[in-house]
Amino acid sequence: MNSKMDPMGRAIADYWKTKKADRLRVFSPMFEEDEIPLTTLFRKYKAMPEIERKALDMATGKTLDVGAGSGCHSLVLQEKGIVATSTSTSTA
């Protein structure tokens, strides 16, 4: 995917470089328009919703994080000693 055409990848890269947060607007035919604060993509375990924390707590063995975005879930798993590989179509 062309990074000039990938708003998610650009937003992740910009936040990582500048540490200035804004919102990412999401449009999909599957749900209503939404805005995601970029800091959400870089959150730590304690800031994640309970369902995400529960899933991370249940993870064992090698893990593939598909659609990882910034990789915050993979980082939590790696901190727990789990081998986690991240993949995403977003390019930064």
Side-chain angles (χ1 to χ4, degrees), residues 69-88:
S70 64
C72 64
H73 298 106
S74 291
L75 293 173
V76 169
L77 293 172
Q78 289 172 4
E79 288 170 1
K80 292 176 52 174
I82 294 174
V83 175
T85 302
S86 302
T87 183
S88 183

Side-chain angles (χ1 to χ4, degrees), residues 1-14 17 69-70 87-92:
M1 178 177 283
N2 182 338
S3 62
K4 292 180 181 178
M5 300 302 287
D6 178 17
M8 176 76 109
R10 278 200 331 259
I12 290 170
D14 287 346
K17 291 175 190 170
S70 64
T87 183
S88 183
T89 57
S90 289
T91 57

Side-chain angles (χ1 to χ4, degrees), residues 40 43-56 73:
T40 301
R43 65 194 182 278
K44 302 291 183 190
Y45 177 85
K46 289 183 179 184
M48 293 179 184
E50 181 180 0
I51 193 164
E52 290 180 32
R53 292 192 314 265
K54 187 174 279 194
L56 291 167
H73 298 106

Side-chain angles (χ1 to χ4, degrees), residues 10-70:
R10 278 200 331 259
I12 290 170
D14 287 346
Y15 178 75
W16 181 253
K17 291 175 190 170
T18 66
K19 302 298 186 233
K20 293 180 183 175
D22 204 354
R23 294 173 307 277
L24 184 64
R25 289 183 93 180
V26 180
F27 300 92
S28 171
M30 298 174 65
F31 50 83
E32 291 186 27
E33 178 183 330
D34 195 12
E35 288 188 351
I36 303 170
L38 284 174
T39 54
T40 301
L41 303 176
F42 291 87
R43 65 194 182 278
K44 302 291 183 190
Y45 177 85
K46 289 183 179 184
M48 293 179 184
E50 181 180 0
I51 193 164
E52 290 180 32
R53 292 192 314 265
K54 187 174 279 194
L56 291 167
D57 291 341
M58 293 172 59
T60 60
K62 293 180 180 178
T63 305
L64 177 61
D65 185 358
V66 178
S70 64

